[in-house]
mmCIF file of all heavy atoms in Angstrom:
data_model
loop_
_atom_site.group_PDB
_atom_site.id
_atom_site.type_symbol
_atom_site.label_atom_id
_atom_site.label_comp_id
_atom_site.label_asym_id
_atom_site.label_seq_id
_atom_site.Cartn_x
_atom_site.Cartn_y
_atom_site.Cartn_z
ATOM 1 N N MET A 1 11.862 0.924 153.704
ATOM 2 C CA MET A 1 11.030 1.919 154.409
ATOM 3 C C MET A 1 9.854 1.246 155.119
ATOM 4 O O MET A 1 9.263 0.298 154.625
ATOM 5 C CB MET A 1 10.469 2.932 153.398
ATOM 6 C CG MET A 1 11.561 3.841 152.819
ATOM 7 S SD MET A 1 12.249 4.915 154.068
ATOM 8 C CE MET A 1 10.870 6.075 154.270
ATOM 9 N N ILE A 2 9.531 1.768 156.275
ATOM 10 C CA ILE A 2 8.378 1.253 157.015
ATOM 11 C C ILE A 2 7.173 2.141 156.701
ATOM 12 O O ILE A 2 7.298 3.360 156.689
ATOM 13 C CB ILE A 2 8.648 1.277 158.531
ATOM 14 C CG1 ILE A 2 9.894 0.437 158.820
ATOM 15 C CG2 ILE A 2 7.433 0.759 159.294
ATOM 16 C CD1 ILE A 2 10.320 0.538 160.270
ATOM 17 N N SER A 3 6.042 1.507 156.467
ATOM 18 C CA SER A 3 4.855 2.286 156.129
ATOM 19 C C SER A 3 4.403 3.117 157.329
ATOM 20 O O SER A 3 4.666 2.774 158.474
ATOM 21 C CB SER A 3 3.722 1.375 155.681
ATOM 22 O OG SER A 3 3.102 0.781 156.790
ATOM 23 N N GLY A 4 3.710 4.196 157.046
ATOM 24 C CA GLY A 4 3.281 5.099 158.114
ATOM 25 C C GLY A 4 2.290 4.472 159.068
ATOM 26 O O GLY A 4 2.127 4.938 160.183
ATOM 27 N N ALA A 5 1.646 3.408 158.678
ATOM 28 C CA ALA A 5 0.623 2.800 159.525
ATOM 29 C C ALA A 5 1.215 2.314 160.842
ATOM 30 O O ALA A 5 0.566 2.345 161.873
ATOM 31 C CB ALA A 5 -0.034 1.647 158.797
ATOM 32 N N SER A 6 2.454 1.879 160.817
ATOM 33 C CA SER A 6 3.036 1.331 162.034
ATOM 34 C C SER A 6 3.404 2.423 163.031
ATOM 35 O O SER A 6 3.650 2.149 164.196
ATOM 36 C CB SER A 6 4.277 0.513 161.699
ATOM 37 O OG SER A 6 5.239 1.325 161.086
ATOM 38 N N MET A 7 3.410 3.654 162.588
ATOM 39 C CA MET A 7 3.756 4.753 163.488
ATOM 40 C C MET A 7 2.762 4.866 164.641
ATOM 41 O O MET A 7 3.110 5.250 165.741
ATOM 42 C CB MET A 7 3.762 6.071 162.719
ATOM 43 C CG MET A 7 4.800 6.109 161.613
ATOM 44 S SD MET A 7 6.472 6.332 162.234
ATOM 45 C CE MET A 7 6.381 8.070 162.700
ATOM 46 N N GLY A 8 1.505 4.520 164.382
ATOM 47 C CA GLY A 8 0.460 4.672 165.388
ATOM 48 C C GLY A 8 0.619 3.746 166.569
ATOM 49 O O GLY A 8 -0.003 3.936 167.597
ATOM 50 N N LEU A 9 1.447 2.740 166.457
ATOM 51 C CA LEU A 9 1.612 1.790 167.549
ATOM 52 C C LEU A 9 2.233 2.437 168.778
ATOM 53 O O LEU A 9 2.154 1.910 169.876
ATOM 54 C CB LEU A 9 2.484 0.620 167.085
ATOM 55 C CG LEU A 9 1.825 -0.247 166.000
ATOM 56 C CD1 LEU A 9 2.809 -1.312 165.541
ATOM 57 C CD2 LEU A 9 0.543 -0.883 166.516
ATOM 58 N N GLY A 10 2.843 3.583 168.587
ATOM 59 C CA GLY A 10 3.482 4.255 169.715
ATOM 60 C C GLY A 10 2.502 5.001 170.602
ATOM 61 O O GLY A 10 2.857 5.439 171.678
ATOM 62 N N LEU A 11 1.246 5.149 170.141
ATOM 63 C CA LEU A 11 0.273 5.884 170.931
ATOM 64 C C LEU A 11 -0.118 5.095 172.172
ATOM 65 O O LEU A 11 -0.256 3.888 172.133
ATOM 66 C CB LEU A 11 -0.978 6.171 170.090
ATOM 67 C CG LEU A 11 -0.734 7.123 168.922
ATOM 68 C CD1 LEU A 11 -2.024 7.253 168.104
ATOM 69 C CD2 LEU A 11 -0.303 8.493 169.423
ATOM 70 N N ARG A 12 -0.314 5.833 173.272
ATOM 71 C CA ARG A 12 -0.741 5.168 174.503
ATOM 72 C C ARG A 12 -2.181 5.526 174.809
ATOM 73 O O ARG A 12 -2.579 6.675 174.680
ATOM 74 C CB ARG A 12 0.119 5.653 175.674
ATOM 75 C CG ARG A 12 1.573 5.263 175.531
ATOM 76 C CD ARG A 12 2.291 5.729 176.791
ATOM 77 N NE ARG A 12 3.712 5.871 176.570
ATOM 78 C CZ ARG A 12 4.502 6.557 177.386
ATOM 79 N NH1 ARG A 12 3.987 7.156 178.431
ATOM 80 N NH2 ARG A 12 5.789 6.643 177.161
ATOM 81 N N LEU A 13 -2.911 4.551 175.254
ATOM 82 C CA LEU A 13 -4.267 4.841 175.702
ATOM 83 C C LEU A 13 -4.189 5.655 176.992
ATOM 84 O O LEU A 13 -3.325 5.433 177.820
ATOM 85 C CB LEU A 13 -5.039 3.550 175.953
ATOM 86 C CG LEU A 13 -5.334 2.731 174.686
ATOM 87 C CD1 LEU A 13 -6.043 1.444 175.072
ATOM 88 C CD2 LEU A 13 -6.185 3.534 173.720
ATOM 89 N N GLY A 14 -5.125 6.571 177.141
ATOM 90 C CA GLY A 14 -5.119 7.394 178.337
ATOM 91 C C GLY A 14 -4.266 8.634 178.175
ATOM 92 O O GLY A 14 -4.235 9.489 179.039
ATOM 93 N N ASP A 15 -3.620 8.738 177.041
ATOM 94 C CA ASP A 15 -2.789 9.898 176.777
ATOM 95 C C ASP A 15 -3.535 10.935 175.949
ATOM 96 O O ASP A 15 -2.995 11.941 175.565
ATOM 97 C CB ASP A 15 -1.536 9.460 176.018
ATOM 98 C CG ASP A 15 -0.283 10.085 176.621
ATOM 99 O OD1 ASP A 15 -0.357 10.512 177.787
ATOM 100 O OD2 ASP A 15 0.722 10.171 175.930
ATOM 101 N N GLU A 16 -4.808 10.675 175.709
ATOM 102 C CA GLU A 16 -5.574 11.583 174.873
ATOM 103 C C GLU A 16 -5.903 12.861 175.625
ATOM 104 O O GLU A 16 -6.109 12.847 176.833
ATOM 105 C CB GLU A 16 -6.879 10.903 174.444
ATOM 106 C CG GLU A 16 -6.624 9.669 173.604
ATOM 107 C CD GLU A 16 -7.933 8.975 173.294
ATOM 108 O OE1 GLU A 16 -8.988 9.565 173.533
ATOM 109 O OE2 GLU A 16 -7.878 7.842 172.821
ATOM 110 N N LYS A 17 -5.957 13.947 174.879
ATOM 111 C CA LYS A 17 -6.310 15.212 175.503
ATOM 112 C C LYS A 17 -7.816 15.254 175.738
ATOM 113 O O LYS A 17 -8.577 14.717 174.957
ATOM 114 C CB LYS A 17 -5.904 16.365 174.587
ATOM 115 C CG LYS A 17 -4.401 16.464 174.418
ATOM 116 C CD LYS A 17 -4.061 17.598 173.469
ATOM 117 C CE LYS A 17 -2.554 17.673 173.270
ATOM 118 N NZ LYS A 17 -2.181 18.725 172.312
ATOM 119 N N PRO A 18 -8.220 15.906 176.817
ATOM 120 C CA PRO A 18 -9.649 16.015 177.097
ATOM 121 C C PRO A 18 -10.333 16.870 176.040
ATOM 122 O O PRO A 18 -9.807 17.905 175.627
ATOM 123 C CB PRO A 18 -9.704 16.677 178.469
ATOM 124 C CG PRO A 18 -8.397 17.386 178.622
ATOM 125 C CD PRO A 18 -7.406 16.560 177.832
ATOM 126 N N VAL A 19 -11.493 16.434 175.609
ATOM 127 C CA VAL A 19 -12.234 17.173 174.593
ATOM 128 C C VAL A 19 -13.668 17.386 175.055
ATOM 129 O O VAL A 19 -14.138 16.750 175.992
ATOM 130 C CB VAL A 19 -12.238 16.425 173.251
ATOM 131 C CG1 VAL A 19 -10.834 16.343 172.665
ATOM 132 C CG2 VAL A 19 -12.838 15.047 173.408
ATOM 133 N N LYS A 20 -14.338 18.275 174.381
ATOM 134 C CA LYS A 20 -15.753 18.522 174.662
ATOM 135 C C LYS A 20 -16.494 18.652 173.354
ATOM 136 O O LYS A 20 -15.882 18.748 172.283
ATOM 137 C CB LYS A 20 -15.914 19.798 175.483
ATOM 138 C CG LYS A 20 -15.339 21.035 174.784
ATOM 139 C CD LYS A 20 -15.338 22.209 175.728
ATOM 140 C CE LYS A 20 -14.651 23.418 175.107
ATOM 141 N NZ LYS A 20 -14.572 24.533 176.060
ATOM 142 N N THR A 21 -17.823 18.637 173.443
ATOM 143 C CA THR A 21 -18.638 18.732 172.245
ATOM 144 C C THR A 21 -19.137 20.155 172.065
ATOM 145 O O THR A 21 -19.647 20.770 172.997
ATOM 146 C CB THR A 21 -19.843 17.787 172.350
ATOM 147 O OG1 THR A 21 -19.373 16.455 172.529
ATOM 148 C CG2 THR A 21 -20.694 17.853 171.096
ATOM 149 N N CYS A 22 -18.985 20.670 170.864
ATOM 150 C CA CYS A 22 -19.483 22.007 170.564
ATOM 151 C C CYS A 22 -21.009 21.980 170.541
ATOM 152 O O CYS A 22 -21.596 21.162 169.838
ATOM 153 C CB CYS A 22 -18.934 22.469 169.211
ATOM 154 S SG CYS A 22 -19.627 24.062 168.684
ATOM 155 N N PRO A 23 -21.669 22.857 171.303
ATOM 156 C CA PRO A 23 -23.130 22.858 171.348
ATOM 157 C C PRO A 23 -23.754 23.357 170.048
ATOM 158 O O PRO A 23 -24.930 23.118 169.793
ATOM 159 C CB PRO A 23 -23.447 23.809 172.513
ATOM 160 C CG PRO A 23 -22.271 24.718 172.591
ATOM 161 C CD PRO A 23 -21.079 23.884 172.167
ATOM 162 N N ALA A 24 -22.967 24.029 169.240
ATOM 163 C CA ALA A 24 -23.503 24.610 168.012
ATOM 164 C C ALA A 24 -23.418 23.652 166.828
ATOM 165 O O ALA A 24 -24.387 23.427 166.119
ATOM 166 C CB ALA A 24 -22.786 25.910 167.703
ATOM 167 N N CYS A 25 -22.246 23.091 166.621
ATOM 168 C CA CYS A 25 -22.061 22.224 165.455
ATOM 169 C C CYS A 25 -21.870 20.760 165.844
ATOM 170 O O CYS A 25 -21.784 19.899 164.990
ATOM 171 C CB CYS A 25 -20.878 22.716 164.623
ATOM 172 S SG CYS A 25 -19.281 22.540 165.441
ATOM 173 N N LEU A 26 -21.825 20.521 167.158
ATOM 174 C CA LEU A 26 -21.775 19.154 167.682
ATOM 175 C C LEU A 26 -20.525 18.386 167.284
ATOM 176 O O LEU A 26 -20.500 17.159 167.334
ATOM 177 C CB LEU A 26 -23.029 18.376 167.269
ATOM 178 C CG LEU A 26 -24.348 19.012 167.731
ATOM 179 C CD1 LEU A 26 -25.521 18.130 167.323
ATOM 180 C CD2 LEU A 26 -24.349 19.225 169.231
ATOM 181 N N GLN A 27 -19.494 19.101 166.922
ATOM 182 C CA GLN A 27 -18.213 18.427 166.721
ATOM 183 C C GLN A 27 -17.714 17.971 168.084
ATOM 184 O O GLN A 27 -17.785 18.720 169.057
ATOM 185 C CB GLN A 27 -17.211 19.385 166.072
ATOM 186 C CG GLN A 27 -17.512 19.662 164.616
ATOM 187 C CD GLN A 27 -17.258 18.463 163.731
ATOM 188 O OE1 GLN A 27 -16.530 17.544 164.095
ATOM 189 N NE2 GLN A 27 -17.874 18.442 162.565
ATOM 190 N N GLU A 28 -17.221 16.775 168.131
ATOM 191 C CA GLU A 28 -16.887 16.189 169.431
ATOM 192 C C GLU A 28 -15.408 16.227 169.765
ATOM 193 O O GLU A 28 -14.979 15.639 170.738
ATOM 194 C CB GLU A 28 -17.376 14.738 169.468
ATOM 195 C CG GLU A 28 -18.889 14.643 169.377
ATOM 196 C CD GLU A 28 -19.344 13.201 169.380
ATOM 197 O OE1 GLU A 28 -18.503 12.317 169.171
ATOM 198 O OE2 GLU A 28 -20.539 12.971 169.613
ATOM 199 N N ASP A 29 -14.652 16.903 168.940
ATOM 200 C CA ASP A 29 -13.216 16.913 169.227
ATOM 201 C C ASP A 29 -12.694 18.320 169.472
ATOM 202 O O ASP A 29 -11.598 18.666 169.085
ATOM 203 C CB ASP A 29 -12.437 16.221 168.122
ATOM 204 C CG ASP A 29 -12.628 16.888 166.764
ATOM 205 O OD1 ASP A 29 -13.605 17.634 166.611
ATOM 206 O OD2 ASP A 29 -11.790 16.672 165.889
ATOM 207 N N ILE A 30 -13.522 19.120 170.150
ATOM 208 C CA ILE A 30 -13.066 20.450 170.522
ATOM 209 C C ILE A 30 -12.186 20.322 171.773
ATOM 210 O O ILE A 30 -12.607 19.750 172.762
ATOM 211 C CB ILE A 30 -14.257 21.371 170.850
ATOM 212 C CG1 ILE A 30 -15.315 21.300 169.754
ATOM 213 C CG2 ILE A 30 -13.778 22.805 171.053
ATOM 214 C CD1 ILE A 30 -14.818 21.684 168.400
ATOM 215 N N PRO A 31 -10.972 20.831 171.730
ATOM 216 C CA PRO A 31 -10.124 20.767 172.920
ATOM 217 C C PRO A 31 -10.827 21.415 174.118
ATOM 218 O O PRO A 31 -11.474 22.454 173.980
ATOM 219 C CB PRO A 31 -8.880 21.573 172.517
ATOM 220 C CG PRO A 31 -8.852 21.497 171.021
ATOM 221 C CD PRO A 31 -10.297 21.462 170.601
ATOM 222 N N GLU A 32 -10.699 20.787 175.265
ATOM 223 C CA GLU A 32 -11.424 21.258 176.433
ATOM 224 C C GLU A 32 -11.038 22.687 176.812
ATOM 225 O O GLU A 32 -11.829 23.430 177.356
ATOM 226 C CB GLU A 32 -11.141 20.318 177.605
ATOM 227 C CG GLU A 32 -12.124 20.491 178.726
ATOM 228 C CD GLU A 32 -11.972 19.385 179.757
ATOM 229 O OE1 GLU A 32 -12.552 18.320 179.552
ATOM 230 O OE2 GLU A 32 -11.263 19.587 180.734
ATOM 231 N N GLY A 33 -9.819 23.066 176.526
ATOM 232 C CA GLY A 33 -9.374 24.399 176.893
ATOM 233 C C GLY A 33 -9.681 25.460 175.852
ATOM 234 O O GLY A 33 -9.362 26.625 176.047
ATOM 235 N N ALA A 34 -10.314 25.055 174.761
ATOM 236 C CA ALA A 34 -10.579 26.012 173.688
ATOM 237 C C ALA A 34 -11.639 27.019 174.107
ATOM 238 O O ALA A 34 -12.610 26.672 174.772
ATOM 239 C CB ALA A 34 -11.030 25.271 172.443
ATOM 240 N N SER A 35 -11.464 28.264 173.713
ATOM 241 C CA SER A 35 -12.449 29.290 174.025
ATOM 242 C C SER A 35 -13.421 29.469 172.871
ATOM 243 O O SER A 35 -14.509 30.017 173.032
ATOM 244 C CB SER A 35 -11.764 30.616 174.348
ATOM 245 O OG SER A 35 -10.929 31.002 173.279
ATOM 246 N N LYS A 36 -13.002 28.991 171.693
ATOM 247 C CA LYS A 36 -13.900 29.039 170.541
ATOM 248 C C LYS A 36 -13.799 27.734 169.767
ATOM 249 O O LYS A 36 -12.742 27.103 169.722
ATOM 250 C CB LYS A 36 -13.524 30.202 169.616
ATOM 251 C CG LYS A 36 -13.940 31.552 170.153
ATOM 252 C CD LYS A 36 -13.707 32.631 169.098
ATOM 253 C CE LYS A 36 -14.162 33.987 169.620
ATOM 254 N NZ LYS A 36 -13.964 35.044 168.606
ATOM 255 N N CYS A 37 -14.901 27.369 169.146
ATOM 256 C CA CYS A 37 -14.914 26.162 168.334
ATOM 257 C C CYS A 37 -14.033 26.360 167.113
ATOM 258 O O CYS A 37 -14.075 27.395 166.465
ATOM 259 C CB CYS A 37 -16.350 25.859 167.900
ATOM 260 S SG CYS A 37 -16.455 24.484 166.731
ATOM 261 N N ARG A 38 -13.248 25.350 166.825
ATOM 262 C CA ARG A 38 -12.338 25.461 165.692
ATOM 263 C C ARG A 38 -13.076 25.333 164.366
ATOM 264 O O ARG A 38 -12.543 25.660 163.325
ATOM 265 C CB ARG A 38 -11.272 24.382 165.789
ATOM 266 C CG ARG A 38 -11.827 22.992 165.564
ATOM 267 C CD ARG A 38 -10.736 21.995 165.373
ATOM 268 N NE ARG A 38 -10.196 21.498 166.647
ATOM 269 C CZ ARG A 38 -9.327 20.512 166.730
ATOM 270 N NH1 ARG A 38 -8.895 19.941 165.643
ATOM 271 N NH2 ARG A 38 -8.879 20.111 167.868
ATOM 272 N N TYR A 39 -14.301 24.837 164.413
ATOM 273 C CA TYR A 39 -15.046 24.593 163.183
ATOM 274 C C TYR A 39 -16.009 25.730 162.856
ATOM 275 O O TYR A 39 -16.069 26.187 161.727
ATOM 276 C CB TYR A 39 -15.824 23.287 163.293
ATOM 277 C CG TYR A 39 -14.926 22.091 163.502
ATOM 278 C CD1 TYR A 39 -14.755 21.545 164.764
ATOM 279 C CD2 TYR A 39 -14.230 21.544 162.436
ATOM 280 C CE1 TYR A 39 -13.921 20.450 164.958
ATOM 281 C CE2 TYR A 39 -13.396 20.464 162.614
ATOM 282 C CZ TYR A 39 -13.246 19.923 163.877
ATOM 283 O OH TYR A 39 -12.408 18.859 164.069
ATOM 284 N N CYS A 40 -16.783 26.162 163.857
ATOM 285 C CA CYS A 40 -17.821 27.152 163.571
ATOM 286 C C CYS A 40 -17.558 28.481 164.277
ATOM 287 O O CYS A 40 -18.244 29.460 164.033
ATOM 288 C CB CYS A 40 -19.196 26.605 163.973
ATOM 289 S SG CYS A 40 -19.404 26.397 165.747
ATOM 290 N N GLY A 41 -16.575 28.524 165.171
ATOM 291 C CA GLY A 41 -16.206 29.777 165.811
ATOM 292 C C GLY A 41 -17.087 30.150 166.983
ATOM 293 O O GLY A 41 -16.930 31.223 167.561
ATOM 294 N N THR A 42 -18.012 29.277 167.356
ATOM 295 C CA THR A 42 -18.860 29.555 168.503
ATOM 296 C C THR A 42 -18.038 29.575 169.789
ATOM 297 O O THR A 42 -17.183 28.727 169.993
ATOM 298 C CB THR A 42 -19.963 28.493 168.620
ATOM 299 O OG1 THR A 42 -20.808 28.577 167.483
ATOM 300 C CG2 THR A 42 -20.808 28.704 169.876
ATOM 301 N N GLU A 43 -18.328 30.543 170.639
ATOM 302 C CA GLU A 43 -17.600 30.603 171.904
ATOM 303 C C GLU A 43 -17.936 29.401 172.763
ATOM 304 O O GLU A 43 -19.087 28.991 172.869
ATOM 305 C CB GLU A 43 -17.958 31.891 172.646
ATOM 306 C CG GLU A 43 -17.343 33.119 171.991
ATOM 307 C CD GLU A 43 -17.445 34.327 172.915
ATOM 308 O OE1 GLU A 43 -17.529 34.147 174.147
ATOM 309 O OE2 GLU A 43 -17.427 35.440 172.405
ATOM 310 N N GLN A 44 -16.899 28.855 173.364
ATOM 311 C CA GLN A 44 -17.067 27.681 174.212
ATOM 312 C C GLN A 44 -16.979 28.071 175.673
ATOM 313 O O GLN A 44 -16.097 28.828 176.076
ATOM 314 C CB GLN A 44 -15.971 26.658 173.904
ATOM 315 C CG GLN A 44 -15.931 26.259 172.446
ATOM 316 C CD GLN A 44 -17.178 25.520 172.028
ATOM 317 O OE1 GLN A 44 -17.564 24.553 172.662
ATOM 318 N NE2 GLN A 44 -17.823 25.964 170.967
ATOM 319 N N LEU A 45 -17.909 27.555 176.449
ATOM 320 C CA LEU A 45 -17.851 27.814 177.877
ATOM 321 C C LEU A 45 -16.704 27.007 178.479
ATOM 322 O O LEU A 45 -16.473 25.879 178.098
ATOM 323 C CB LEU A 45 -19.167 27.393 178.543
ATOM 324 C CG LEU A 45 -20.390 28.201 178.098
ATOM 325 C CD1 LEU A 45 -21.625 27.621 178.751
ATOM 326 C CD2 LEU A 45 -20.220 29.662 178.454
ATOM 327 N N PRO A 46 -15.993 27.600 179.403
ATOM 328 C CA PRO A 46 -14.906 26.875 180.058
ATOM 329 C C PRO A 46 -15.460 25.703 180.849
ATOM 330 O O PRO A 46 -16.501 25.806 181.483
ATOM 331 C CB PRO A 46 -14.272 27.912 180.983
ATOM 332 C CG PRO A 46 -15.328 28.948 181.193
ATOM 333 C CD PRO A 46 -16.153 28.952 179.937
ATOM 334 N N VAL A 47 -14.739 24.598 180.784
ATOM 335 C CA VAL A 47 -15.169 23.390 181.476
ATOM 336 C C VAL A 47 -14.246 23.131 182.649
ATOM 337 O O VAL A 47 -13.036 23.112 182.498
ATOM 338 C CB VAL A 47 -15.154 22.185 180.532
ATOM 339 C CG1 VAL A 47 -15.523 20.914 181.286
ATOM 340 C CG2 VAL A 47 -16.105 22.416 179.370
ATOM 341 N N ARG A 48 -14.847 22.933 183.794
ATOM 342 C CA ARG A 48 -14.042 22.627 184.968
ATOM 343 C C ARG A 48 -14.122 21.145 185.264
ATOM 344 O O ARG A 48 -15.204 20.588 185.334
ATOM 345 C CB ARG A 48 -14.548 23.411 186.167
ATOM 346 C CG ARG A 48 -14.282 24.903 186.025
ATOM 347 C CD ARG A 48 -13.566 25.388 187.253
ATOM 348 N NE ARG A 48 -13.139 26.785 187.098
ATOM 349 C CZ ARG A 48 -12.514 27.426 188.070
ATOM 350 N NH1 ARG A 48 -12.276 26.821 189.220
ATOM 351 N NH2 ARG A 48 -12.116 28.646 187.905
ATOM 352 N N VAL A 49 -12.977 20.576 185.454
ATOM 353 C CA VAL A 49 -12.942 19.154 185.777
ATOM 354 C C VAL A 49 -12.372 18.963 187.171
ATOM 355 O O VAL A 49 -11.386 19.575 187.525
ATOM 356 C CB VAL A 49 -12.089 18.383 184.759
ATOM 357 C CG1 VAL A 49 -12.015 16.916 185.149
ATOM 358 C CG2 VAL A 49 -12.685 18.538 183.354
ATOM 359 N N GLY A 50 -13.009 18.129 187.936
ATOM 360 C CA GLY A 50 -12.503 17.861 189.255
ATOM 361 C C GLY A 50 -13.484 18.391 190.266
ATOM 362 O O GLY A 50 -13.426 18.211 191.406
HETATM 363 ZN ZN1 ZN B 1 -18.728 24.378 166.614
#
């Protein structure tokens, strides 16, 4: 069996989903398209990119 650690080698840089920081709890991995924070439930303003 191969340990799970080697599974991560398949990840590509630049393939990460865009994220934003929650202004309420400052979690930095809120998906950019989220309408509410997954941690504290604060409504997130939509972010426009481009
Ligand atoms: Zn939050």
